[in-house]
Amino acid sequence: MFDYYSNDVLEHLAIPRTYFKNHTVEYQYWFRSLLQKIDSSLIFKGLPDDWPEDFFKFILWARGYLAVFKTERWDLAFQPVASLSGYDFYYQPTTVAIANPYYNKQLTLHKDVELIKLTPDFCGCFDIIAHYATQLAELTKSIQMQFINAKTPMVMVANSKAESELIKSIYDAVEAGESLVVYKNKLNDNEIIPRNTPFGFWNQDFKQTYIASDLLENLECVLNNFYMEIGLPTGISDKKAHTLNAEADFQSAQSQARLACWIANLEESFERVERLFGLRLEVEHRKRQLLGR
C-alpha cells in the first residue's frame, strides 16, 4: 500500500515521508502489520457503496480527519482536507479547502461540508504506529542476530593450510555421524615436542550469551502494549496469571481510554454529517463483537 500511496497521494495528504522512507525492512514490516491491526479494531457501517473503505480509513489514520460534502458529479463524497482556515471566536475552523485534481474548492464548514474527526486535536495515529514499529524493528533485528550467532557454536584456528584441511575433514566426519574420530598428527614431524592437537579452538558458552528467549518475551510485551494502546484484547502470560481483579479492571479501563476517545469523536462527527446530509454512519469496536457484547 505504501508504494501505491508513496508519491503524489502522500504529498497531497501532507503525510510526512519519514513514516515510510529510509527505514529498514523490519520497520516497514511492523508498520504495515500494526496498521492492519488498527484497521481491524474499528468497524464502520453505513458507508456509501462508492466510498472505498480502505482509503477512508487510511485518511483517518494518517491525517486524523476528512471532509464530507456534496458535488454534482459524485453526489455525496469524502476527501482529505488540504487546509482549514477562517477561525471563529473559539478558534474553530470555518472554511475547508479541498484540493483534488478533479475537484478544487473552498467550502463553508457546517453549511457545505462536515468533518469526520478521529481525535480532538485533528491528528491521526501514525505516530503511535511508528513508535511501536521502531521498537519492534529493533527487537526483530536483535533476535535475528541471536539466531545467526547460535549457528556458530565453535571457531577454530589453524596454523597452516594443512591443519585447516585436517580440521575440515574431522568436522565432515563428525557431521556424517561418526561418534569417534581418530587422527594422526603428521603435520609437525620435525617438532622436538609435538603438540597434542594441531589446532586451537574457541567455544562460546551460549547458555550465558543466548538471550533470544528474553528478546522474544520483550517483543510480546511491546505488542501487548500496542494492543492495549488501541483497545484490542491482549494475551496474559503465566507470570501474570495471578493479576488481581482490581488491577485487571484498571488495565482494561486503561486499554479502552484511547479507543473510547476515537469512537466518541467519530460518533459526534457522524451526528453532524447526518444532520447536514442525511447519511447515517456508525462505528463499532470489534472487541465487543469478539466478546459478544
Side-chain angles (χ1 to χ4, degrees), residues 16 28 33 41 51 57 84 87 90 93 108 115 118 137 145 177 179 189 192 194 204 209 212 248 255 258 269 288:
Q28 294 175 4
S33 176
S41 65
W51 284 17
K57 289 181 177 180
L84 298 172
Y87 298 100
Y90 294 104
T108 302
L115 296 178
L118 181 69
M145 184 60 66
S179 59
D189 293 337
I192 298 176
Q204 184 176 354
T209 60
S255 70
R258 187 184 293 274
S269 299
R288 294 176 184 171

Side-chain angles (χ1 to χ4, degrees), residues 108-155:
T108 302
L109 188 58
H110 309 316
K111 179 181 179 182
D112 306 314
V113 62
E114 278 296 350
L115 296 178
I116 294 179
K117 294 196 305 180
L118 181 69
T119 61
D121 56 357
F122 293 89
C123 292
C125 59
F126 270 18
D127 56 337
I128 300 172
I129 299 175
H131 171 75
Y132 287 100
T134 300
Q135 295 182 37
L136 291 167
E138 293 301 319
L139 283 169
T140 299
K141 287 188 288 186
S142 299
I143 292 169
Q144 290 172 342
M145 184 60 66
Q146 282 287 301
F147 289 160
I148 292 172
N149 290 340
K151 294 179 181 179
T152 313
M154 184 178 296
V155 177

Side-chain angles (χ1 to χ4, degrees), residues 95-256:
T95 304
V96 178
I98 307 298
N100 185 290
Y102 299 96
Y103 189 91
N104 197 317
K105 199 170 183 180
Q106 296 273 349
L107 302 173
T108 302
L109 188 58
H110 309 316
K111 179 181 179 182
D112 306 314
V113 62
E114 278 296 350
L115 296 178
I116 294 179
K117 294 196 305 180
L118 181 69
T119 61
D121 56 357
F122 293 89
C123 292
C125 59
F126 270 18
D127 56 337
I128 300 172
I129 299 175
H131 171 75
Y132 287 100
T134 300
Q135 295 182 37
L136 291 167
E138 293 301 319
L139 283 169
T140 299
K141 287 188 288 186
S142 299
I143 292 169
Q144 290 172 342
M145 184 60 66
Q146 282 287 301
F147 289 160
I148 292 172
N149 290 340
K151 294 179 181 179
T152 313
M154 184 178 296
V155 177
M156 296 186 177
V157 180
N159 296 309
S160 66
K161 183 176 180 180
E163 290 184 358
S164 176
E165 294 300 323
L166 177 59
I167 294 172
K168 292 178 182 178
S169 64
I170 295 172
Y171 181 79
D172 291 340
V174 173
E175 287 293 297
E178 296 185 26
S179 59
L180 176 63
V181 180
V182 180
Y183 70 91
K184 183 178 180 181
N185 183 8
K186 296 183 178 180
L187 301 175
N188 299 290
D189 293 337
N190 297 325
E191 286 187 357
I192 298 176
I193 304 178
R195 292 179 297 163
N196 293 328
T197 59
F199 50 82
F201 70 92
W202 168 75
N203 189 8
Q204 184 176 354
D205 185 357
F206 282 92
K207 292 184 178 180
Q208 299 296 325
T209 60
Y210 185 74
I211 59 172
S213 54
D214 294 335
L215 292 171
L216 288 169
E217 186 176 340
N218 291 338
L219 188 140
E220 181 183 3
C221 179
V222 173
L223 276 174
N224 281 334
N225 287 341
F226 172 77
Y227 296 148
M228 183 177 295
E229 185 97 29
I230 63 172
L232 286 177
T234 61
I236 300 178
S237 65
D238 293 336
K239 295 179 181 179
K240 298 180 180 179
H242 62 281
T243 302
L244 300 177
N245 290 336
E247 184 179 352
D249 292 341
F250 172 76
Q251 291 178 352
S252 177
Q254 187 180 28
S255 70
Q256 300 303 308

